[in-house]
Amino acid sequence: MPRSIWKGAISFGLVTIPVKLFSATEEKDISFRQVHPEDGGRIKYKRVCEKCGKEIPFAEIAKGYELPDGRMVILEKEDFDNLPLSTTKAVEVVQFVAEDEVDPTYFDKTYFLEAEGPGAKPYVLLRDALIKSGRAAVVKVALRSRESLALVRPKDGVLLMHTMLWPDELRDGSFAAPPENVTVSDAEVTMAQSFIDALAGDFHPEEFTDAYREALEAVVQSKADGIPLVEATEEAPKEAEVVDLVAALRASVEAAKKRREEAEKAKAM
């Protein structure tokens, strides 16, 4: 069982729910070391003070905030522990909203909330009330030296908490919009919808794998074993510009239907 990263309580009106917080995700990327290629030795870095030139042990390093006038304010652990903030040990419910009202762009990280001790009954109360109302709770919580908005919602019998970015942390993406004078015909939209319909289905994330990570693991293993890796055949590059969108989409629909039929046959075997 993973270790909890935070303990506190959800304030649900006059009801208090003691909870523990657990990370709901983990990175699966391959981790590399920085090494000297001649002998494989690891590269080490020293933490050196730019003023006195001394190497500073990690335990003696403090956090400093540089003011606009150049002064450095040193903050100790006690300063963070004693912040004048009500959300340091409490998840404060501020609003209830429909889940689809929150743009997924706001989501940062996902956590499991586990009831602690006498919190089981009020935990179930909040979970079931959210399910029946079809809503999620917008909360404020302080985690990892910052306060965040978060969304608490029920899933598979558990309450999940998604921390969110603040509005001023989202960039304006209007620069990426195509020029307004670019238009498409009804026939092109209809054919695009046909392609969407051909690939439509229920989302089953377990059916997808990280092909890049698998290929990288294969390269690492082949080098470790001293066995040459069979090179993958490269597909011929496609034309960057499509003149006839309807013809291209029609061909895409046929290809999608063929892939789906082959996939269904493979499942039936």
Side-chain angles (χ1 to χ4, degrees):
M1 181 177 176
R3 294 178 59 184
S4 64
I5 63 171
W6 183 90
K7 288 185 180 182
I10 300 176
S11 298
F12 175 40
L14 297 178
V15 177
T16 299
I17 311 172
V19 292
K20 293 180 181 179
L21 199 67
F22 299 85
S23 293
T25 59
E26 59 180 333
E27 296 291 336
K28 290 290 187 178
D29 287 344
I30 295 178
S31 178
F32 291 98
R33 305 282 188 182
Q34 290 187 318
V35 298
H36 185 199
E38 290 186 8
D39 54 20
R42 295 183 185 180
I43 304 299
K44 295 185 177 181
Y45 294 90
K46 294 182 178 180
R47 301 176 178 89
V48 178
C49 175
E50 65 176 358
K51 287 190 175 182
C52 66
K54 293 181 179 179
E55 184 177 353
I56 311 301
F58 181 78
E60 296 180 14
I61 297 177
K63 291 186 177 181
Y65 183 87
E66 187 173 1
L67 297 174
D69 60 9
R71 287 181 298 164
M72 188 69 70
V73 179
I74 308 299
L75 296 180
E76 307 293 342
K77 181 179 181 301
E78 293 74 19
D79 296 317
F80 292 99
D81 293 339
N82 298 323
L83 284 175
L85 193 64
S86 63
T87 53
T88 53
K89 287 299 179 184
V91 179
E92 177 188 354
V93 177
V94 295
Q95 192 178 21
F96 293 98
V97 299
E99 283 186 38
D100 57 8
E101 286 186 27
V102 182
D103 186 337
T105 309
Y106 280 97
F107 291 153
D108 185 18
K109 294 186 179 297
T110 301
Y111 300 91
F112 294 123
L113 287 168
E114 179 190 50
E116 186 175 22
K121 186 174 180 66
Y123 181 104
V124 171
L125 172 63
L126 176 59
R127 182 197 66 190
D128 292 356
L130 290 174
I131 292 173
K132 290 188 176 181
S133 65
R135 295 185 180 274
V138 176
V139 304
K140 291 181 72 176
V141 61
L143 290 174
R144 302 189 185 281
S145 303
R146 61 170 294 173
E147 185 180 55
S148 300
L149 278 178
L151 191 75
V152 174
R153 69 182 183 93
K155 183 180 184 294
D156 299 331
V158 176
L159 288 177
L160 297 181
M161 186 174 77
H162 307 279
T163 54
M164 298 193 293
L165 303 171
W166 294 102
D168 60 359
E169 293 179 310
L170 299 186
R171 293 175 175 170
D172 181 3
S174 59
F175 70 90
E180 294 184 0
N181 60 350
V182 177
T183 60
V184 293
S185 67
D186 291 341
E188 290 168 338
V189 173
T190 299
M191 189 56 66
Q193 288 177 315
S194 297
F195 178 66
I196 292 172
D197 291 340
L199 289 181
D202 296 328
F203 179 54
H204 299 292
E206 65 276 4
E207 296 179 357
F208 302 92
T209 59
D210 186 347
Y212 181 86
R213 176 158 56 96
E214 292 172 352
L216 199 54
E217 288 173 343
V219 169
V220 171
Q221 191 62 47
S222 70
K223 298 201 78 169
D225 297 339
I227 302 174
L229 190 68
V230 179
E231 294 185 4
T233 56
E234 295 185 3
E235 295 183 3
K238 297 180 180 179
E239 294 292 332
E241 183 178 356
V242 179
V243 178
D244 189 342
L245 285 176
V246 173
L249 285 168
R250 185 178 293 112
S252 299
V253 170
E254 294 302 320
K257 288 181 178 178
K258 185 177 180 180
R259 287 198 304 270
R260 172 162 286 185
E261 290 174 358
E262 291 175 351
E264 289 177 352
K265 287 181 180 179
K267 287 182 179 179
M269 294 177 64

